[in-house]
Amino acid sequence: MKRYMLLGFVLAVLIGTGLAQDPTISDVNAFQQALEKDGFTVQQGAVGFFDVIKLYDLGVLPNALGNNPSTRYLSYFVPPAPGQKVPEELTKIAATLGINLDAAAFWNLGPDEAVVFVGRTPPECRYFSLDLQLVERTYGNETRWIFSNIGDTVNNLVINTEGTPNGAAGNPFNQTTVIVATADRGIDQRIRAAALSAGYPDNIFNTLVLPSSMLNLGVENNSDKFLIAMRPAFYKDKQAGDDYLNNTPAIVFRVTPNQTTKLDPYDFPKLRVRGTGTTEFDLMDDLEQLKKAILNKYSNLNATELPTSMTVPSDGIQRGINAMGPDNDACYLWTSNLTPFSPTPPFPDLSKYYDFQPHPTVTLGSDPNEFIIIYGVNHVATEKATYSSATIYGAAGWNGVGTVHDADFNGTAEDYLPDNPNAKYLYVYKIARNCNGDLNCFEVPTGPGAYGIALDQPLMIFWRMYLEKATKTGPSYSEIVYDRAIKFDPKK
């Protein structure tokens, strides 16, 4: 079997910002020719950095969509269906990001079409996935943003690649893979046959299913719009991660049959089941001891315990509400006593539709005695997550300005509970404007622009717990102990 395209990706022709979008490798050309021979129109798209903060900072998006600063998202940029045009507002997104193609990050798809990713997976990192989201849906004359995941991801524990054939244990990083997003079983099989004829091995294929039973597929303006995001987090080698981001060794095709085909739609795929039956609740007493130690250390200050609740709803598609882009591989918490939900139009000023202010409203001034202490269970230490993190957000724009994660948490509770053997499963971290030399502390920037939070602007903390290894999906909310936060400021 001949060696396939990505051994030679270093020969890529660079387009725009350096994306490797025209590999000029014989196998990719052979793949496209095989598809065309089988009666498909094949249009080339791109994989590019979806820089949410940049888009928000420049006013292209009205908010930052709850960006995760530890994850610089990559997105498919997909050409329109033959004879269709990319809407102006989506063209502006691509142009701002330097994607010099007639393609969009939000796109629709016919019931007999497919979007195909051919390329390498990210270099070694704590986690990555490719996640299919329903972005936009029209209800009568009303169009809404939904931003809700459709089924499970293709993540680093389940992906089929040359290094993890048929999902077997192995190395999923920097490996060749093919991922087909389609609603139709017959189209999927024809695409795989074309790839096999071009020399790709038969054990590197993955399918992201668009279930026709719950989607409004089509290429008209009122058809559903989709997004496929790649979420690589915490690269082992930062330079390798930067190189992957700036020159992604992958290509995207939109594949459209030239003739009407008999549809053979996929059923909704079986989901991976959250939960192992093992919980973190044995640590509740230890966590209460930790809270008392924290309050005792700062007893000279006023203390306000902040609430914690689920951040995003899991039923956005069924309810027609904006779910803010959750991933089935994660649990999400935030410093509020509610889970936000609302029908919202495309490109909304979300402050008009959501009460985004934390409860109580929290600001963080420059006084050295004003800060937030976050604490809780280190979910990686308990093996409930592959990585966990806490992110600081501006409440008005949902702009994440910085993240601390489980590796930062290691050993931080032992100074508070020196004689408690379970302290190794807990953490304490400080969020402040000026850390004054404190080691376990994150300094919140005031700018520039969306890259910071002004002193008088409300903020909030988000926690994420990604990928329980035992289940290869997100942990169960019913098995984790919720993270907590206390706001301290001078007594009046």
Side-chain angles (χ1 to χ4, degrees):
M1 181 178 294
K2 64 180 181 179
R3 296 302 297 166
Y4 32 95
M5 77 180 234
L6 288 165
L7 294 178
F9 247 121
V10 292
L11 303 177
V13 175
L14 305 182
I15 294 179
T17 58
L19 300 171
Q21 301 306 330
D22 184 11
T24 65
I25 304 301
S26 60
D27 292 5
V28 144
N29 293 333
F31 184 18
Q32 180 170 346
Q33 290 168 7
L35 289 168
E36 292 170 344
K37 184 178 180 180
D38 191 31
F40 290 105
T41 295
V42 181
Q43 298 173 273
Q44 183 175 316
V47 180
F49 177 25
F50 196 80
D51 190 342
V52 187
I53 285 286
K54 179 179 180 179
L55 292 169
Y56 174 49
D57 191 56
L58 294 177
V60 178
L61 290 177
N63 62 83
L65 304 178
N67 66 295
N68 183 352
S70 67
T71 302
R72 292 185 292 175
Y73 307 100
L74 289 152
S75 176
Y76 291 13
F77 287 83
V78 178
Q84 302 292 317
K85 293 184 179 180
V86 176
E88 182 178 352
E89 66 271 17
L90 301 183
T91 298
K92 188 174 182 181
I93 290 176
T96 302
L97 297 175
I99 307 298
N100 299 319
L101 293 171
D102 183 25
F106 308 155
W107 36 270
N108 51 29
L109 200 71
D112 59 354
E113 290 189 293
V115 174
V116 183
F117 172 101
V118 185
R120 282 197 178 272
T121 57
E124 186 173 355
C125 53
R126 297 279 294 281
Y127 167 83
F128 75 79
S129 69
L130 290 97
D131 187 23
L132 173 63
Q133 299 261 330
L134 172 61
V135 174
E136 183 179 300
R137 171 165 286 180
T138 298
Y139 299 83
N141 295 323
E142 180 186 23
T143 302
R144 299 178 187 175
W145 263 9
I146 304 299
F147 270 100
S148 189
N149 55 303
I150 304 171
D152 282 328
T153 69
V154 174
N155 66 43
N156 54 285
L157 293 184
V158 303
I159 192 169
N160 299 323
T161 73
E162 58 181 337
T164 56
N166 297 320
N171 175 21
F173 305 110
N174 194 30
Q175 304 288 340
T176 304
T177 191
V178 177
I179 303 172
V180 181
T182 187
D184 192 81
R185 184 179 287 103
I187 295 296
D188 192 8
Q189 292 171 350
R190 288 170 63 184
I191 290 171
R192 291 182 182 221
L196 290 170
S197 72
Y200 293 91
D202 61 2
N203 54 9
I204 67 168
F205 296 103
N206 307 266
T207 302
L208 283 169
V209 172
L210 287 84
S212 301
S213 59
M214 65 180 297
L215 300 175
N216 301 321
L217 296 168
V219 298
E220 298 78 17
N221 289 336
N222 62 350
S223 300
D224 287 347
K225 286 189 173 62
F226 305 100
L227 161 76
I228 294 180
M230 185 185 294
R231 309 181 191 227
F234 300 110
Y235 290 105
K236 182 177 181 180
D237 181 335
K238 182 180 182 302
Q239 185 59 55
D242 289 345
D243 291 344
Y244 188 86
L245 185 80
N246 296 321
N247 189 15
T248 307
I251 197 167
V252 165
F253 291 134
R254 183 181 192 126
V255 179
T256 307
N258 297 327
Q259 303 294 329
T260 302
T261 61
K262 182 179 180 180
L263 297 180
D264 184 14
Y266 276 113
D267 295 329
F268 195 100
K270 186 176 180 179
L271 298 176
R272 300 188 288 272
V273 178
R274 293 186 185 227
T276 62
T278 300
T279 77
E280 298 174 334
F281 297 145
D282 284 341
L283 295 169
M284 292 289 285
D285 287 343
D286 305 290
L287 196 60
E288 286 300 310
Q289 292 178 31
L290 181 58
K291 182 180 78 171
K292 291 177 182 178
I294 293 168
L295 292 171
N296 183 63
K297 179 174 180 177
Y298 300 110
S299 59
N300 62 315
L301 300 175
N302 180 60
T304 303
E305 294 188 54
L306 304 180
T308 305
S309 69
M310 292 173 59
T311 308
V312 294
S314 60
D315 53 359
I317 296 176
Q318 294 197 64
R319 297 171 66 191
I321 60 175
N322 190 346
M324 301 301 294
D327 182 322
N328 263 15
D329 290 341
C331 289
Y332 303 89
L333 305 172
W334 71 324
T335 48
S336 177
N337 57 16
L338 56 84
T339 298
F341 61 90
S342 176
T344 60
F347 298 95
D349 176 357
L350 292 176
S351 64
K352 296 179 180 179
Y353 297 89
Y354 288 90
D355 180 4
F356 273 177
Q357 307 305 317
H359 303 276
T361 299
V362 178
T363 58
L364 200 56
S366 58
D367 189 315
N369 288 317
E370 184 177 355
F371 52 87
I372 298 170
I373 294 292
I374 59 173
Y375 68 105
V377 173
N378 185 333
H379 306 288
V380 174
T382 63
E383 299 185 351
K384 300 306 288 183
T386 297
Y387 89 81
S388 61
S389 65
T391 299
I392 298 84
Y393 284 87
W398 275 48
N399 53 312
V401 300
T403 293
V404 291
H405 63 98
D406 55 271
D408 302 314
F409 298 156
N410 290 334
T412 57
E414 293 173 357
D415 288 341
Y416 292 84
L417 301 175
D419 300 320
N420 187 328
N422 285 335
K424 63 184 178 181
Y425 296 112
L426 309 176
Y427 76 91
V428 182
Y429 219 83
K430 185 177 183 180
I431 310 298
R433 295 291 184 176
N434 189 335
C435 287
N436 295 314
D438 290 352
L439 293 179
N440 302 315
C441 180
F442 174 81
E443 291 190 348
V444 180
T446 57
Y451 297 89
I453 304 168
L455 295 176
D456 61 348
Q457 295 298 305
L459 56 79
M460 51 199 182
I461 312 296
F462 278 29
W463 291 274
R464 290 173 169 88
M465 290 130 269
Y466 264 90
L467 198 60
E468 187 169 13
K469 290 182 179 179
T471 59
K472 301 179 182 179
T473 189
S476 169
Y477 283 95
S478 64
E479 294 180 356
I480 61 170
V481 172
Y482 282 16
D483 298 71
R484 304 178 182 182
I486 305 172
K487 170 70 186 297
F488 289 95
D489 49 36
K491 291 183 177 179
K492 297 180 181 179

